[in-house]
């Protein structure tokens, strides 16, 4: 299990150096815009899904550390997964956020957000990108 120090380090690394924060460099991406009334979060989430596989994922916009880091990690986790696997990862993440039973195996670095549920105001920040991806995948 992760220590608080490890969790903080993962979150700060993905906030300071988000590798998935950019506009898509090719066509074929679905986009969902998300924003939060009680935080600076204002993001576009982009998924490219072909033959039921998430080929690529990225995001752009302005967001707090929690939103930026969780969305960056989500992009890493969903890329290369088929729709069923991607939906399961999103579902497990939401279970974790709401302190329900979840499969920690599929969440990898996203486990860094396990304590977010204790700060109700931050749950929206930690799930904003995930909700957008969920919306895109449901439309597919």
């Amino acid at each position: 299990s992760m220590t608080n120090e490890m969790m903080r380090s993962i979150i700060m690394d993905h906030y300071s150096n988000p590798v998935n924060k950019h506009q898509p460099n090719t066509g074929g991406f679905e986009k969902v815009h998300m924003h939060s009334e009680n935080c600076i979060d204002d993001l576009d989430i982009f998924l490219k899904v072909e033959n039921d596989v998430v080929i690529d994922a990225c995001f752009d916009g302005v967001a707090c550390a929690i939103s930026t880091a969780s969305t960056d990690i989500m992009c890493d986790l969903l890329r290369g997964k088929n729709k069923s696997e991607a939906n399961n990862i999103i579902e497990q993440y939401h279970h974790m956020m709401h302190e329900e039973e979840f499969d920690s195996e599929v969440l990898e670095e996203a486990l860094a957000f396990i304590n977010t549920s204790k700060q109700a105001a931050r749950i929206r920040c930690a799930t904003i990108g995930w909700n957008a991806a969920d919306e895109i995948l449901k439309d597919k």
Side-chain angles (χ1 to χ4, degrees):
S1 77
M2 280 190 213
T3 64
N4 285 342
E5 186 90 5
M6 287 162 69
M7 291 185 234
R8 196 172 302 112
S9 172
I10 288 168
I11 292 168
M12 289 317 295
D13 183 48
H14 281 275
Y15 172 63
S16 306
N17 309 294
V19 293
N20 299 302
K21 188 175 183 213
H22 55 82
Q23 291 280 324
N25 47 14
T26 61
F29 280 81
E30 298 283 326
K31 175 180 108 169
V32 168
H33 179 82
M34 296 293 243
H35 75 280
S36 178
E37 283 74 39
N38 52 8
C39 193
I40 62 165
D41 303 336
D42 191 16
L43 292 173
D44 288 324
I45 311 301
F46 303 93
L47 291 189
K48 185 174 192 170
V49 181
E50 290 176 4
N51 301 320
D52 268 356
V53 174
V54 179
I55 303 296
D56 203 359
C58 58
F59 69 103
D60 207 9
V62 178
C64 70
I66 299 285
S67 294
T68 300
S70 71
T71 303
D72 195 49
I73 289 170
M74 177 200 76
C75 290
D76 286 340
L77 285 175
L78 298 185
R79 191 178 293 111
K81 301 293 191 297
N82 67 38
K83 227 179 105 174
S84 168
E85 293 167 325
N87 282 326
N88 181 52
I89 290 167
I90 293 168
E91 188 181 342
Q92 297 310 312
Y93 184 78
H94 280 110
H95 285 321
M96 178 181 77
M97 280 295 129
H98 296 102
E99 298 181 325
E100 298 163 1
E101 263 187 59
F102 68 95
D103 178 2
S104 61
E105 295 295 307
V106 301
L107 294 180
E108 299 174 27
E109 282 190 316
L111 288 170
F113 297 94
I114 194 163
N115 294 328
T116 307
S117 58
K118 297 178 182 21
Q119 307 157 44
R122 307 311 271 157
I123 292 174
R124 171 82 177 149
C125 301
T127 57
I128 195 165
W130 298 76
N131 291 335
D134 193 33
E135 208 174 296
I136 292 169
L137 289 169
K138 292 228 183 321
D139 285 347
K140 281 281 170 208

